[in-house]
Amino acid sequence: MTRKDKIAIIGAGPTGLSAAILLRLRGYEPIVIERRPDSTGYPAAHVANTRTMEVFAEMGVADRVWSEGDTKAMSSLVVWLESMAGREYGVLPIQGAAIDDRGPLSAFNSVNIPQTRLEALLLDRFESLGGKVCFDHELLGLEQDQDGVKVLFKRVADGSRGSFRCDWLIGCDGAGSTVRRAIGIEMEGPRTIARFMTIYFEADLDRLREGRRGLLYWVGGPEARGVFISFDEAGRTWAMLVPVGDLSIEDFDDAAATRIVHKAIGDLSVPVTLQAVSSWNMSAQVAETYRNGRVILAGDACHRFPPTGGLGMNTGIQDAHNLVWKLCAVIGGQAGEGLIDSYEQERRPVAKRNTDQSVHNLMKMRMIDAALGIETLAPIALDAGTGPLTSWPPERLGIDGDHTTALKRRAEIQAAIDAQAEHFAQGAGIDLGFAYTEGVLVPDGSPAPSREPCEYRPDAHPGARLPFSSADGSFANSTLGLVQPYGVTLFSRDPAWIAIAEAAAAQSGVVITVQLFGSEGRDLGPNVQDLMGIDDSGAVAVRPDGHVLWRLRARTDGATDCLADAAARMAAPGEPFAPIVCSRTVEAEGVDP
């Protein structure tokens, strides 16, 4: 690692590996360093949402993620219960494939896949492209000047130290980011909302899931409280998130952790194999800025969400998708450094919205507690696993039997559970409907898309994701699958745009690729024109990340100049961003993951 490379990536989690793959696909050879000795471990995240699956399709890994994940989990149930073998409080169906009246919203649905398995697939894809992750290398600090960044590191195994230079560095090293601390960027928002212990274990719980196979099981018993997460369709691999308050995981030995799991299962005879125990801090924070000179943050290094919504990993992967094409355009000389500033301009509001949504989801769960009359996520007691199995006295819950009071109580609890739909239904408004309002786009005066989490009607509104449309339902033969990894991709059914695009490209200096559809071009489905919101002569210009740059509903005499002006936004002309010179060494600290 002594040669001078253009780009370094710190961290080989889902965000870092996604950035590395996207760079390799564009011909760059990033250095990737990772503190861990290898990619094995235990999962933190477990759902790749629809938009992330589309990014994976661009990366050439979507089919493997789909085939090796649990594709049924995202159309199953979320269950609230006293224990896996005890009383059931209520269930909520997870929304399946999303559509509107013009067809499917995507070629993909969300998939349940443990982060560890996902990282292994991404690493394999990166290596198949000729990349290599330098495991066992820990970042110590950065020294930055106007021309680049000096990276100081050590090998964890033997403590030997070294350094290398790069032109740009992407910090994807997680919530306790050494990169972020080295460049002096602070986080905004509460650092601690709650503290949890995660217990990873294996157990055959299939018989206890009969008739209610779900992705999540929220346990609210007298002693054991928390959430069971299913990592596979067979129901053998699990994690239990346990609220611990001010307690530390050192207060719970392996036997205590196993007893807590048994109490939550509600059957002491079920064999449980403990795999690992870890702790984590639930936060709601977004970095005050995403960039210091030639150092850029992505993923958990610049935003930390509660897991209520499954947005953290997905937001990070989509950060990388937004950043990489811009960084490549700057390095390749097609754009000024101002283009990179649009990364924060576009992605930070998404992180803030997702943070707010995750906190909202968490707070809304209190409706269920109020209906039950118990605190399902109150911190567990240190002696929670000891003693015999217990259950709530019937008079405490008032839900047993078929008398009027019990029926009413159960209906109230189910109503509170039904109110969590925007949290657990994988709302398409959050997943696919986010739209950039500032940055690399040209507003066309059309009404802004709905910001409601469960509302999404596809439209080629500038800043929004290009609507999906495909004659055969595949991603490869869809609008999104035809977007080029560089320059502008222009969609229209009017062949006159071919000459217009050539003239606009010459005028702007930006490559413009025309994709004709309809009778003069590709079959992209019967509703593609309606989805884009244009007439027979209109056109939509799209950026390399699949978001709409510009739209002209009907061709006008000034179309060439309009398109050229829009394409020039891709070059982001202007004075280069002046790096903030910093020189700092940050020794590794004990920071919550």
Side-chain angles (χ1 to χ4, degrees), residues 238-579:
W238 298 85
M240 182 182 179
L241 276 57
V242 181
V244 295
D246 295 330
L247 297 174
S248 166
I249 62 168
E250 284 73 24
D251 296 323
F252 300 89
D253 58 19
D254 289 355
T258 303
R259 287 195 299 268
I260 291 170
V261 170
H262 264 132
K263 287 291 184 73
I265 292 173
D267 185 343
L268 301 181
S269 68
V270 175
V272 172
T273 302
L274 188 71
Q275 294 179 316
V277 178
S278 66
S279 65
W280 58 280
N281 194 48
M282 182 187 289
S283 304
Q285 295 183 308
V286 178
E288 61 184 9
T289 183
Y290 281 19
R291 179 185 178 193
N292 178 320
R294 292 177 174 267
V295 181
I296 309 166
L297 303 176
D300 287 356
C302 55
H303 45 70
R304 306 175 69 179
F305 310 151
T308 40
L311 298 172
M313 179 183 74
N314 292 290
T315 305
I317 291 167
Q318 293 162 34
D319 287 344
H321 191 228
N322 180 288
L323 172 62
V324 164
W325 73 266
K326 296 174 179 178
L327 188 57
C328 291
V330 171
I331 293 173
Q334 290 88 42
E337 287 186 22
L339 180 62
I340 296 177
D341 293 332
S342 71
Y343 161 65
E344 175 184 329
Q345 192 178 24
E346 293 176 351
R347 293 302 300 171
R348 192 169 185 272
V350 173
K352 288 179 68 66
R353 180 191 182 188
N354 289 350
T355 301
D356 293 344
Q357 183 64 43
S358 299
V359 171
H360 170 75
N361 292 341
L362 179 66
M363 296 298 104
K364 199 171 182 180
M365 293 280 289
R366 292 176 177 174
M367 294 175 63
I368 300 174
D369 289 6
L372 282 168
I374 59 175
E375 293 186 65
T376 56
L377 288 180
I380 200 166
L382 187 59
D383 61 352
T386 61
L389 289 174
T390 60
S391 61
W392 291 113
E395 62 273 13
R396 173 66 187 276
L397 296 176
I399 63 174
D400 299 327
D402 293 325
H403 54 85
T404 302
T405 301
L407 293 173
K408 180 181 178 183
R409 290 278 294 125
R410 290 203 296 271
E412 291 171 347
I413 293 167
Q414 186 60 52
I417 289 173
D418 290 342
Q420 313 303 314
E422 69 182 37
H423 175 182
F424 295 104
Q426 294 295 302
I430 290 288
D431 187 345
L432 302 175
F434 65 92
Y436 305 133
T437 58
E438 296 181 277
V440 187
L441 58 99
V442 181
D444 68 350
S446 59
S450 170
R451 289 180 57 85
E452 291 300 313
C454 293
E455 291 181 8
Y456 172 56
R457 183 167 177 81
D459 179 65
H461 180 84
R465 160 190 168 271
L466 180 69
F468 170 84
S469 187
S470 173
D472 61 8
S474 72
F475 182 85
N477 296 317
S478 73
T479 48
L480 289 166
L482 293 174
V483 173
Q484 298 302 298
Y486 52 86
V488 173
T489 305
L490 189 77
F491 289 88
S492 180
R493 68 181 306 136
D494 183 356
W497 282 99
I498 296 175
I500 294 171
E502 290 177 355
Q507 187 173 323
S508 65
V510 175
V511 174
I512 301 175
T513 303
V514 178
Q515 299 285 4
L516 291 180
F517 60 84
S519 60
E520 300 290 336
R522 297 174 180 269
D523 182 1
L524 292 177
N527 297 311
V528 59
Q529 187 174 319
D530 180 35
L531 288 162
M532 290 189 178
I534 56 176
D535 72 8
D536 290 347
S537 68
V540 173
V542 185
R543 313 174 340 175
D545 60 357
H547 280 255
V548 176
L549 167 70
W550 169 86
R551 173 173 62 179
L552 193 64
R553 294 182 183 274
R555 178 164 46 84
T556 63
D557 291 340
T560 299
D561 290 340
C562 288
L563 178 57
D565 289 345
R569 294 286 184 102
M570 301 278 287
E575 292 298 319
F577 186 97

